Amino acid sequence: MTAVEFIEPISHEAGVEQAKTLFSKTYGVEPEGVWAAPGRVNLIGEHTDYNAGLCLPIALPHRTFIALSPREDTKVRVVSDVAPDKVAEADLYELQARGVDGWAAYPTGVAWALREAGFDKVKGFDAAFVSCVPLGSGLSSSAAMTCSTALALDDVYGLGYGDSDAGRVTLINAAIKSENEMAGASTGGLDQNASMRCTAGHALLLDCRPELTPLENVSQQEFDLDKYGLELLVVDTQAPHQLNDGQYAQRRATCEQAAKILGVANLRVTADGIAKADDPFQALKETLDALPDETMKKRVRHVVTEIERVRSFVRAFAQGDIEAAGRLFNASHDSLAADYEVTVPELDVAVDVARHNGAYGARMTGGGFGGSIIALVDKGRSHEVAQAIADEFEKRGFHAPRALAAVAAPSASREA
């Protein structure tokens, strides 16, 4: 059996040095500074964000480092350790949405979004990226890139938004706009909020109700794995990603249609009403009975029950009830498989193997149709459980998975 690949985070010192080296080798000068932003993993609360629900991400210790210097003109040049000999170029002058091809759209789009928001002092830049956030794994390598870029541009152009939580909301909005409008990737803001607002040892409880201000919609919830002798294993299944805009948009449209039928602004209103009912089970049944077809009933059942699972997980972990927290992981995955139908065989097999090898609970994380699973395991067991998953994948002829151990890490910061 082949040993599972375990991805360790790059240290602060190594990330700074590698980013500086790539920058100076590419552009012939030293960068003005180095910044970094983390990837994220969502503990629970999947496909709830666009239903005004609740989700609970943590920042990963795995970060994207950016060495950057501002320019006097509007030209953008970017290089990455993925292809260190290829410099991508763009120009911010009269740039329009979707005007940049390839991965350069993400960092270029941040500068474009800031300029669109009225920050005329933002001009071009040269940048070099070094990252240990796995690509295509559903762990938000794109948010790590856009958020690190936003923080760097805020700093070098003296915008003054990076030093406070309130200010970072402005930078988050630029990162979201870059992904949605320049890169054409659909994102609701969960990833960027996690990358910019998480704190060490805490999960970010994100409340996506549109009526809340950006300062009202987050709270820090303790997520100290060491306290309970735990590890959070993340396994990137490397399943060929089957998520496409059609599948995502279809589910979103079904939820919005259901809300209209139920006469509510969004399914969060429905979920809150059911949670407060004298008999929540009966209230859920009556809600589902009011919907016209089985597919819509399943989608709504997932969203309503998942929002409540987020609340329950926060309570369970705060009380040290790890068994209950694990059961909620399991229930979330089962709902995503049966009711939301966004899992694939690799995700289901990885979850099943983790459960059978002693995990308190396991679930897919992210949008689904590929990507990663997470499992709550006793400290020191991550490698063993990950290897069991890799062995089963090899038997079934799946792509070899990659794994990492997650802790609740801090958000984006200036590194040097």
Side-chain angles (χ1 to χ4, degrees), residues 352-404:
D352 192 50
V353 172
R355 291 175 184 176
H356 280 89
N357 280 270
Y360 292 93
R363 61 179 292 273
M364 61 148 273
T365 184
F369 302 102
S372 297
I373 69 118
I374 55 176
L376 205 53
V377 301
D378 286 322
K379 195 170 185 65
R381 295 210 60 227
S382 284
H383 282 73
E384 179 188 342
V385 175
Q387 187 62 54
I389 293 170
D391 292 346
E392 186 62 30
F393 272 33
E394 191 171 341
K395 285 180 194 171
R396 293 174 181 251
F398 293 164
H399 290 287
R402 301 177 294 181
L404 55 95

Side-chain angles (χ1 to χ4, degrees), residues 330-346:
N330 290 340
S332 174
H333 182 85
D334 296 346
S335 178
L336 286 158
D339 280 348
Y340 225 67
E341 298 178 286
V342 293
T343 68
V344 293
E346 289 90 337

Side-chain angles (χ1 to χ4, degrees), residues 7-28:
I7 303 168
E8 300 294 344
I10 301 174
S11 70
H12 162 85
E13 294 79 8
V16 168
E17 189 58 37
Q18 289 173 31
K20 279 184 174 179
T21 299
L22 179 58
F23 186 98
S24 58
K25 183 179 177 184
T26 303
Y27 305 114

Side-chain angles (χ1 to χ4, degrees), residues 213-227:
T213 70
L215 292 182
E216 293 171 333
N217 72 355
V218 301
S219 63
Q220 303 288 341
Q221 304 292 328
E222 185 181 308
F223 189 67
D224 185 349
L225 294 164
D226 282 341
K227 182 176 179 180

